[in-house]
Amino acid sequence: MDGKRGSPLFMYRHLIGGRFLISPCRLDVMTPGDMDEALKLHDRVTHGLSPEIFVPTGPDDLERLVGGEGISVGVWSGGKLICMRAVMTDARWVNETLEKMGVPAGEAGRAVYTDHCIVDKEFRGNNVQFLTHYAIEHRVGGRCGAFFTTVSPKNAFSLSNVLGCGFAVIGMKELYGGYMRYIMRKQLDRVMPIWTHGHLVIPVSDVKRQKEAIAEGMAGYKMIRKNRGHMMLYAPMAEHPPRGYWKNMADGK
């Protein structure tokens, strides 16, 4: 990447011995010419990760994501790519992906799919996941109806980041050869409120109860940690409040 491209950022860089310093970085849309750096970052970040946690994007799909079938933004420190977020935008590719996830065809219209967001370990903790999501949302939000993505229930860090970007859990399914994933969506049109008073608190490990809640029209909107582990908060997602909602609030129930 040309050091003169992109928008300037200044982020913490963590070094050995507990040291850190402020490092000048730049954020910009990636091009096919950045493919080598994309591959290097993927190798550094995903080496040794279990597919239960994260499945790396293959070289062929990476080429599509930095080409005309997606949009990818990267953050560079000097000439080194230290963060990449990639979103599928090609309608056929998105629809094929969402079909595998079990998303109804009617919900896939005008959707995009976040394939991955990865960050070099030296630059974690800078909230760069949020910066890159909104950088892409700024570019495509006006012409798409929803963002979709998948996250492993065992990847608490990524799950917290995705929820923090405004996504909600709308499904759970085994994908990528049999590994459980949350199906997550951020709706930009036809938005319905989530009625959080009286929410359910369900352990992330309890797949059965979570699927039951989703089948009842609930969405997972927040993750908390208790002594027993991570919990997902579920509440009804509907245009109108559930029966008795306001009365229960008044009664303090």
Side-chain angles (χ1 to χ4, degrees):
M1 175 184 176
D2 185 339
K4 296 181 180 180
R5 277 173 47 191
S7 302
L9 301 171
F10 296 85
M11 302 196 302
Y12 288 116
R13 179 184 178 191
H14 302 279
L15 304 174
I16 60 173
R19 299 174 297 146
F20 70 88
L21 51 79
I22 297 295
S23 178
C25 302
R26 289 188 176 270
L27 181 151
D28 201 6
V29 176
M30 298 176 66
T31 71
D34 299 315
M35 185 64 185
D36 286 346
E37 278 297 309
L39 289 169
K40 290 177 184 177
L41 178 64
H42 257 77
D43 184 61
R44 292 198 307 273
V45 173
T46 67
H47 181 74
L49 285 180
S50 164
E52 282 191 316
I53 301 296
F54 185 82
V55 175
T57 303
D60 291 343
D61 283 348
L62 276 177
E63 287 188 3
R64 299 173 72 181
L65 288 164
V66 299
E69 296 179 78
I71 180 170
S72 301
V73 295
V75 179
W76 282 260
S77 174
K80 179 181 177 182
L81 183 68
I82 58 90
C83 174
M84 177 180 179
R85 178 179 287 276
V87 173
M88 297 178 188
T89 57
D90 178 77
R92 179 176 295 181
W93 193 14
V94 172
N95 288 339
E96 290 173 352
T97 302
L98 296 183
E99 184 179 353
K100 294 175 184 176
M101 292 160 47
V103 175
E107 294 192 39
R110 298 182 63 240
V112 296
Y113 176 78
T114 300
D115 183 82
H116 65 267
C117 179
I118 54 175
V119 184
D120 188 287
K121 65 180 181 180
E122 291 185 355
F123 289 87
R124 291 173 187 168
N126 283 286
N127 292 322
V128 70
Q129 295 90 346
F130 302 101
L131 290 173
T132 51
H133 170 77
Y134 288 108
I136 287 185
E137 193 172 290
H138 172 71
R139 289 169 170 82
V140 305
R143 53 187 172 88
C144 75
F147 279 75
F148 285 85
T149 196
T150 60
V151 182
S152 168
K154 296 185 177 181
N155 191 344
F157 182 76
S158 291
L159 184 54
S160 178
N161 284 328
V162 174
L163 289 165
C165 287
F167 287 73
V169 175
I170 62 164
M172 297 188 77
K173 187 178 177 64
E174 289 186 349
L175 300 167
Y176 312 117
Y179 299 100
M180 186 59 66
R181 292 293 190 266
Y182 283 123
I183 311 301
M184 305 185 71
R185 179 183 66 200
K186 182 175 185 178
Q187 194 76 45
L188 306 186
D189 61 5
R190 297 181 290 106
V191 177
M192 289 190 292
I194 298 176
W195 303 87
T196 62
H197 185 74
H199 58 240
L200 301 180
V201 182
I202 305 177
V204 166
S205 60
D206 194 335
V207 175
K208 181 176 182 292
R209 284 182 63 198
Q210 290 182 92
K211 285 186 173 182
E212 289 172 349
I214 293 166
E216 292 172 3
M218 296 188 178
Y221 68 94
K222 186 177 181 179
M223 185 176 66
I224 61 174
R225 183 174 179 82
K226 292 191 173 182
N227 292 336
R228 292 171 292 171
H230 288 100
M231 307 283 174
M232 185 67 70
L233 306 188
Y234 282 88
M237 180 171 57
E239 184 176 354
H240 303 289
R243 180 176 297 179
Y245 185 84
W246 299 118
K247 182 179 185 302
N248 289 337
M249 282 195 67
D251 293 341
K253 296 180 181 178

